[in-house]
């Protein structure tokens, strides 16, 4: 870390992805980030590097190559087996100070969101949290704005420069990190023009994972990092890691999600059963709004929304969910949204592709029958 | 022993949001509340106060009206308030904000058995960065996402929530803990507490108070000290209104299923 100067922007090169592993298994977000990182590295004409920390994890490097990494830096140490803020931050910052990546991406998991800010503060650089879209290339970014914003063309054209400390700044070399704020009502694109690496945590489940490439997997360069770490560096002690007893619901990967909200309050048991019936008919899983989770009707792993999970299934069915912005933030990217609600003026209908005004306890079972029949007819 | 709890006044994003024609947020027209996760942090501090009789100091950075929020925290039971407020601090991103708050905490003085509590994240920015960055600047150990805290002497045993379970972590004071809603149920203000809140000490830390701190430099506070810049802010296009289906009967449902099958959605 000594003599490291984050403001010497031109000394930095390559796109790096922090590849989180838990108990020796890679996280699905790693592949999403590598696929996205591949695109950014190609836009910059540089290498994509995976950074893998753990205890005896070198064997995972090949799989990372298959999703786009040209090179994987492996930091193997017995103290890195389980995630600790101190151990991971020290090792990552030491390697970054030495190798100077231009861009550093981290999955916004509970671990990534602990690690990212600690590293950014130590490296004296900027970190954009929970990004949902990334670009380097200006033309690609402007095309993204044309499709995803209501900005007029003259303002879109002007996004090739920013005002930085009162001076115009050409953003051609900067990572343009777009993220929702205020519960998804406002989007902001953030740059880190004066310091490197440009760091971003990226919301799991938002970016698309590319195809696994066997040839790339075999061609990946694996480099062992020199790790200097001792017990004295660790300020905390992990006593145990406890897995939730029940198998958790895979909301992010599901193609069909049926969510329930406050609308099932009159008969919670029946409401949950109906949701499961409909999810089974579609071949998907059950989710819930914050109201449903806070009321204890479903466990927290079912929560869709700003403080829950972001989903983009083929079909999202909202049963008795009013559609508060915090909920919409987690599901509005779904390909098709079907809303069933008694209240015809519920905000959920503003984003629904198909809306039915009615009692979910009556409509949902009919929908189950209709879907079964439609599937049988195929 | 004392506990410093960092709180933020935020616009109530569950209310109606007002967006200016240029795509920025009209904050003036929005209600403000104490950030929800911060109330869990306050409650964690007050629980330890109930057990140990320690002092609880509520700290916030913001414009002068944020004092009102500090009074509310004191009405819940905090002993004193510190408002960090100066024009020089405006425009700070998370890096610069944590730099200033860290300087304020050093100014208050952090001793061997003290604890800093923060909320996991604020609902306006949703970054979850300020807590860990304060910890880094003060070289404190951190535990984020605390869902259970148990204190035994100078050791805290904290359950840190993971997506698929939790980790149990032991950490010694002084340390920084960020709190989530699963940790506790925040208490209400009491009538007596509200009266007392206006008698309790309230300090304002301005630029002059903190300018001698090694953490404070014109190059690491405010806009100049913020590594990140906003390139563009915009509102996403409203998705075109979908199709409302007439009638809530079997026929409607069959029609819907038919349309989904036709589009190969099912």
């Amino acid at each position: 870390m000594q003599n490291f100067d984050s403001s010497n922007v031109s000394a930095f090169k390559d796109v790096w992805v922090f590849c989180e592993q838990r108990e020796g298994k890679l996280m699905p977000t790693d592949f999403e980030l590598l696929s996205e990182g591949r695109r950014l590295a190609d836009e910059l004409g540089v290498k994509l590097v995976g950074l893998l920390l753990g205890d005896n994890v070198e064997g995972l490097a090949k799989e990372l190559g298959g999703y786009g990494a040209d090179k994987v830096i492996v930091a193997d140490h017995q103290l890195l087996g389980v995630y600790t803020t101190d151990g991971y931050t020290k090792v990552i910052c030491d390697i970054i100070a030495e190798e100077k990546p231009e861009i550093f991406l981290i999955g916004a998991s509970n671990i990534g969101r602990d690690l990212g800010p600690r590293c950014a503060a130590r490296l004296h650089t900027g970190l954009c949290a929970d990004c949902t879209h990334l670009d380097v290339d200006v033309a690609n970014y402007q095309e993204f704005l044309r499709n995803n914003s209501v900005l007029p063309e003259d303002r879109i054209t002007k996004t090739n420069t920013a005002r930085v400390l009162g001076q115009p700044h050409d953003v051609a070399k900067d990572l343009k990190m777009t993220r929702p704020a205020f519960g998804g009502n406002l989007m902001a694109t953030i740059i880190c023009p004066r310091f490197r690496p440009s760091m971003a945590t990226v919301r799991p489940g938002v970016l698309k994972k590319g195809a696994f490439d066997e040839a790339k997997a075999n061609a990946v360069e694996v480099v062992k990092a020199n790790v200097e770490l001792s017990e004295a560096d660790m300020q905390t002690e992990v006593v145990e890691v406890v897995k939730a007893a029940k198998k958790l619901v895979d909301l992010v990967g599901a193609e069909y999600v049926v969510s329930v909200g406050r609308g099932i309050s009159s008969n919670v048991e029946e409401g949950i059963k109906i949701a499961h019936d409909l999810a089974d008919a579609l071949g998907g899983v059950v989710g819930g709004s914050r109201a449903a989770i806070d009321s204890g009707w479903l466990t927290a792993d079912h929560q869709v929304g700003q403080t829950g999970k972001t989903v983009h299934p083929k079909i999202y069915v909202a049963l008795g969910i009013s559609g508060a912005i915090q909920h919409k933030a987690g599901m509005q990217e779904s390909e098709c949204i079907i809303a069933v609600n008694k209240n015809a003026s519920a905000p959920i209908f503003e984003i629904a592709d198909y809306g039915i005004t009615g009692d979910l306890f009556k409509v949902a079972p009919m929908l189950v029958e209709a879907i079964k029949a439609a599937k049988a007819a195929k | 022993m004392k506990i410093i709890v960092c709180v933020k006044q935020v616009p109530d994003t569950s209310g109606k949001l007002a967006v200016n024609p240029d795509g920025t947020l009209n904050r003036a027209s929005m209600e403000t509340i104490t950030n929800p996760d911060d109330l869990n942090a306050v409650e964690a501090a007050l629980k330890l106060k109930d057990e140990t009789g320690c002092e609880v100091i509520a700290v916030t950075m913001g414009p002068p009206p944020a004092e009102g929020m500090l009074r509310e925290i004191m009405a819940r039971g905090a002993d004193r308030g510190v408002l960090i407020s100066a024009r020089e601090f405006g425009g700070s991103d998370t890096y610069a904000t944590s730099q200033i708050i860290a300087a304020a905490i050093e100014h208050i003085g952090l001793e061997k058995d003290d604890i800093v509590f923060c909320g996991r994240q604020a609902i306006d920015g949703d970054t979850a960065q300020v807590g860990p960055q304060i910890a880094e600047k003060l070289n404190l150990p951190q535990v984020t996402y605390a869902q259970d805290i148990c204190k035994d002497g100078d050791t805290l045993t904290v359950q840190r929530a993971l997506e698929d379970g939790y980790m149990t972590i032991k950490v010694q004071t002084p340390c920084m803990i960020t709190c989530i809603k699963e940790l506790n149920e925040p208490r209400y203000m009491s009538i007596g507490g509200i009266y007392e809140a206006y008698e309790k000490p309230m300090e304002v830390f301005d630029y002059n108070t903190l300018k001698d701190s090694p953490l404070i430099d014109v190059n690491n506070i405010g806009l100049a000290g913020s590594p990140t810049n906003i390139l563009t802010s915009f509102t996403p296009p409203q998705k075109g209104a979908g199709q409302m289906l007439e009638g809530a009967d079997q026929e409607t449902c069959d029609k819907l299923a038919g349309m989904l099958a036709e589009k190969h959605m099912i």
Side-chain angles (χ1 to χ4, degrees), chain A residues 112-127:
Chain A
R113 296 175 102 221
D114 183 88
L115 175 67
R118 190 94 195 192
C119 288
R122 190 166 301 179
L123 294 164
H124 188 172
T125 192
L127 167 65

Side-chain angles (χ1 to χ4, degrees), chain B residues 106-179:
Chain B
E106 277 202 333
H107 189 79
I108 295 166
L110 204 58
E111 285 156 30
K112 174 82 188 69
D113 49 1
D114 295 348
I115 305 170
V116 181
F117 280 121
C118 294
R120 169 195 50 170
Q121 69 190 60
I123 55 170
D124 53 353
D126 278 325
T127 69
Q129 291 174 5
V130 171
Q133 295 198 334
I134 292 172
E136 171 66 20
K137 305 272 161 76
L138 295 173
N139 196 24
L140 293 177
Q142 74 189 44
V143 184
T144 54
Y145 288 84
Q147 63 177 22
D148 188 60
I149 300 171
C150 184
K151 187 173 186 296
D152 181 17
D154 66 351
T155 306
L156 297 183
T157 304
V158 184
Q159 274 186 18
R160 177 190 194 284
L162 292 172
E163 290 84 348
D164 56 352
Y166 63 88
M167 287 172 143
T168 307
I169 296 176
K170 274 196 160 91
V171 58
Q172 301 212 317
T173 60
C175 57
M176 200 282 313
I177 313 282
T178 77
C179 305

Side-chain angles (χ1 to χ4, degrees), chain B residues 9 32 60-72 83 85 202:
Chain B
Q9 191 171 46
T32 58
T60 194
M61 180 166 108
E67 185 187 323
M69 175 195 60
L70 289 179
R71 295 282 178 205
E72 287 183 17
L83 172 66
S85 194
M202 169 81 71

Side-chain angles (χ1 to χ4, degrees), chain A residues 336-358:
Chain A
C336 174
I337 297 167
I338 300 170
V340 181
N341 204 299
K342 269 186 184 168
N343 178 2
S345 58
I348 192 78
F349 288 126
E350 290 165 17
I351 60 160
D353 296 271
Y354 300 105
I356 297 177
T357 311

Side-chain angles (χ1 to χ4, degrees), chain A residues 233-255:
Chain A
D233 296 316
M234 317 292 260
Q235 301 187 85
T236 59
E237 179 201 341
V238 177
V239 183
E240 58 172 348
V241 180
V242 180
K243 289 262 194 184
K246 202 164 106 313
K247 188 172 170 357
L248 293 160
V249 52
D250 180 22
L251 270 179
V252 171
E255 291 207 315

Side-chain angles (χ1 to χ4, degrees), chain A residues 110 114 242 256 306 325 378, chain B residues 13 125-126 144 163 166 265-266:
Chain A
N110 288 17
D114 183 88
V242 180
Y256 300 94
Q306 189 185 355
I325 52 173
K378 272 189 152 180
Chain B
T13 57
D126 278 325
T144 54
E163 290 84 348
Y166 63 88
M265 302 289 291
I266 55 173

Side-chain angles (χ1 to χ4, degrees), chain A residues 141-160:
Chain A
Y141 172 64
Q142 294 182 339
E143 194 52 34
F144 161 76
L145 288 180
R146 282 186 199 102
N147 295 325
N148 294 282
S149 78
V150 293
L151 287 177
E153 184 59 33
D154 65 313
R155 279 204 54 209
I156 292 176
T157 315
K158 281 184 197 151
T159 57
N160 59 350

